[in-house]
Amino acid sequence: MTLTTSPYDDDHLHEECAIYGIFGTSDAAAHTALGLHALQHRGQEAAGIVATDGTTFNVHRGLGHVGENFGEDNQEVMDQLVGHSAIGHTRYSTTGETALRNVQPLFADLEFGGFALCHNGNLTNALQVREGLVRQGSIFQSTMDTEVIIHLIARSRRASVVDRLVEAMNQVEGGYSLICMSKDTLIGLRDPFGVRPLVLGKIGDAYILCSETCGLDIIGADFVRDINPGELVVIDAKGVRSFFPFRPRPSRFCIFEYIYFARPDSMVEGHSVYAARKGIGAELANESGVDADVVVPVPDSGVPAAIGYAEASGLPFELGIIRNHYVGRTFIQPTDKVRHLGVKLKHNANRGQLEGKRVILVDDSIVRGTTSTKIVEMVRQAGATEVHMRIASPPTTHSCFYGVDTPERSKLLAAQMSVEEMAEKIGVDSLAFISIDGLYRAMGEAARNNDVPQFCDACFTGDYPISLTDYTGGRTRQLSLLAEAS
């Protein structure tokens, strides 16, 4: 049996996509492929690039990793992606059959010429808008929310590409960052709340838009600044121009970017992700310290927080669990017996650092709890006398609707159980999560402001800053992000 999602999966929330665009270099597609490679952590199941020389648009999209589509074994593909401007996308799929027609960037020939678009996030009224467009005669080629934007732009009677895009985006809701490309223009846009990230960089005379600064570092580009919430930037032969076409809203950047999504070496919204995670670990130790002998991270995402926890608690930090980085997300497992070998395909206990010790395990989150249970069992089998788990985020009690692959609320362990019940289920001597105020303190805020929270923390609080038009009766009606419609 071939599985598309590993039962040994790390049981984390998954970011849906990365976006990348560059304007003003003859090697635009090659730069974009490298940038997507640096952003591979944001999506591992599909990748695409569209490039233009100002006359022709060249497209390649495929399932699989960036390297499988744009690596050294695919030089003929790269040779075809000629142009001075390019945009690219990499994505992690939701449930269902992955389909090439749903891989971004999307491209269409519109009244004003070729137009390509890639999108990180989710439109929360996409189904409602789509149904209206279909009634008016629109024909959709994918099941993605992103395609709604293309149709709205196509129907606009505004004169310029930018004005058409603004008119389209005024008809949708959600958390998003977009990169768009016409024959002579690159456009970047963040939603008014700034939920999803987008940064501006420069290398030589070329400008870059991408999800994280690590996408700049890989090609030696300079970070210029973050694109602001609600900001639209136009990059063309005249340089960079900035507009704010939407009603201002308070910033509600996704706090899970700091906890898990972003790469540790990125700078996000002025914060070092690595430093933020260490700070969260330190705050977690201050809130929920326990007598123990050693602090052990659940690799890889728990490492920075565990370092911060160890430093704040004065306990030694040890790699008591070793991760096998060569286990893919798709593999063959012939029998149920092999399936039940469980997490050891990805993780193995480092017995010498665990045997006879009271262990504090630090991880970034608990979603369903399946992996946590297997990790704890493995650590106990390696001889730990006590196992205490500390989580560098508050309990995940609500689903995300702004571009993160989250299970239904009924499948979120923290939505169904108390902390004590969770501790019993996963088999630890104690379990503690950082508090929501502790998380805010770690990010440099005094506490969460209940009137105007500084971040989007809806997965912990249920406080959704953007209306959920397509969510009714406790059941999502949103379009899939990379799935065939059921």
Side-chain angles (χ1 to χ4, degrees):
M1 176 173 63
T2 302
L3 302 182
T4 56
T5 302
S6 165
Y8 315 102
D9 194 84
D10 49 10
D11 195 29
H12 293 118
L13 303 182
H14 289 279
E15 176 59 88
E16 292 295 351
C17 16
I19 55 178
Y20 199 95
I22 187 167
F23 180 92
T25 176
S26 59
D27 295 323
H31 283 80
T32 300
L34 287 168
L36 292 178
H37 179 74
L39 297 168
Q40 185 76 83
H41 60 285
R42 300 183 74 90
Q44 296 89 48
E45 292 195 0
I49 293 176
V50 179
T52 183
D53 57 7
T55 303
T56 302
F57 285 78
N58 305 290
V59 182
H60 181 80
R61 300 179 297 166
L63 303 180
H65 285 191
V66 175
E68 294 172 320
N69 288 284
F70 305 105
E72 60 183 13
D73 294 334
N74 301 90
Q75 189 58 47
E76 69 281 3
V77 170
M78 299 305 299
D79 290 342
Q80 295 169 8
L81 294 173
V82 296
H84 64 273
S85 183
I87 65 172
H89 188 271
T90 180
R91 162 159 275 160
Y92 176 87
S93 75
T94 57
T95 58
E97 179 187 355
T98 56
L100 189 58
R101 67 178 180 146
N102 284 340
V103 180
Q104 297 189 41
L106 296 183
F107 172 76
D109 279 308
L110 303 181
E111 180 185 14
F112 54 81
F115 184 78
L117 166 69
C118 55
H119 167 211
N120 171 212
N122 199 55
L123 306 182
T124 56
N125 68 334
L127 184 59
Q128 181 187 77
V129 174
R130 178 181 174 128
E131 289 171 345
L133 289 167
V134 170
R135 284 194 298 269
Q136 297 172 50
S138 292
I139 300 172
F140 282 77
Q141 300 297 315
S142 76
T143 64
M144 287 186 295
D145 57 347
T146 311
E147 192 179 355
V148 165
I149 302 170
I150 295 282
H151 286 269
L152 292 173
I153 292 171
R155 297 175 68 87
S156 174
R157 297 297 93 200
R158 299 296 177 91
S160 72
V161 175
V162 173
D163 287 342
R164 285 175 179 242
L165 176 61
V166 170
E167 183 177 67
M169 299 313 294
N170 270 312
Q171 299 174 66
V172 300
E173 304 164 348
Y176 55 81
S177 288
L178 304 178
I179 301 177
C180 312
M181 183 176 67
S182 66
K183 64 180 181 179
D184 55 9
T185 306
L186 191 70
I187 304 168
L189 175 63
R190 285 182 78 188
D191 75 84
F193 289 92
V195 175
R196 304 256 70 87
L198 189 65
V199 301
L200 175 68
K202 189 176 184 183
I203 180 169
D205 294 328
Y207 284 97
I208 301 158
L209 293 166
C210 62
S211 296
E212 294 180 35
T213 58
C214 64
L216 304 175
D217 296 338
I218 193 171
I219 62 169
D222 295 322
F223 169 72
V224 176
R225 64 178 178 87
D226 291 286
I227 303 303
N228 291 306
E231 182 180 10
L232 182 151
V233 293
V234 177
I235 302 172
D236 56 22
K238 299 176 183 178
V240 180
R241 289 169 289 156
S242 174
F243 305 92
F244 288 87
F246 308 114
R247 181 165 63 91
R249 300 292 184 91
S251 176
R252 294 291 295 274
F253 184 67
C254 173
I255 200 165
F256 226 101
E257 291 281 353
Y258 296 113
I259 296 168
Y260 176 68
F261 296 144
R263 228 171 73 166
D265 51 332
S266 284
M267 294 288 296
V268 176
E269 297 285 286
H271 294 274
S272 159
V273 175
Y274 180 78
R277 290 177 187 168
K278 282 186 65 178
I280 292 169
E283 185 66 34
L284 180 60
N286 293 334
E287 286 188 345
S288 59
V290 62
D291 288 337
D293 301 309
V294 64
V295 177
V296 171
V298 177
D300 288 321
S301 56
V303 171
I307 293 172
Y309 191 107
E311 289 180 354
S313 64
L315 294 171
F317 168 94
E318 297 290 353
L319 294 178
I321 300 170
I322 305 301
R323 179 178 176 180
N324 179 358
H325 291 87
Y326 300 97
V327 176
R329 296 191 67 255
T330 301
F331 59 96
I332 304 296
Q333 51 173 41
T335 65
D336 285 342
K337 183 176 181 180
V338 172
R339 176 192 294 268
H340 294 145
L341 290 175
V343 78
K344 289 185 179 180
L345 271 182
K346 182 174 280 189
H347 297 104
N348 192 45
N350 188 2
R351 179 177 291 272
Q353 304 303 322
L354 301 172
E355 192 169 15
K357 295 180 180 178
R358 299 169 297 172
V359 176
I360 297 174
L361 290 176
V362 178
D363 204 356
D364 63 274
S365 60
I366 293 178
V367 182
R368 297 179 179 88
T370 51
T371 295
S372 298
T373 302
K374 294 172 183 175
I375 289 283
V376 171
E377 181 182 3
M378 182 178 65
V379 170
R380 289 199 184 278
Q381 289 176 350
T385 58
E386 295 178 14
V387 181
H388 305 271
M389 183 162 273
R390 296 295 180 264
I391 305 300
S393 64
T396 302
T397 54
H398 292 74
S399 300
C400 176
F401 298 95
Y402 305 136
V404 177
D405 179 35
T406 316
E408 296 176 3
R409 195 178 182 202
S410 62
K411 297 180 181 179
L412 294 171
L413 195 65
Q416 308 303 318
M417 296 183 176
S418 68
V419 173
E420 292 75 17
E421 289 170 333
M422 293 172 69
E424 182 176 357
K425 178 177 177 59
I426 65 177
V428 290
D429 293 283
S430 73
L431 171 66
F433 296 78
I434 194 170
S435 68
I436 190 69
D437 284 345
L439 180 59
Y440 272 71
R441 285 193 297 269
M443 295 306 306
E445 306 289 347
R448 185 182 193 271
N449 184 331
N450 289 313
D451 294 326
V452 185
Q454 299 92 318
F455 299 98
C456 179
D457 53 23
C459 52
F460 309 131
T461 65
D463 180 5
Y464 294 99
I466 303 167
S467 60
L468 306 178
T469 303
D470 289 341
Y471 184 81
T472 57
R475 179 176 63 86
T476 181
R477 298 171 63 239
Q478 294 179 159
L479 301 177
S480 64
L481 295 180
L482 185 60
E484 290 289 349
S486 59

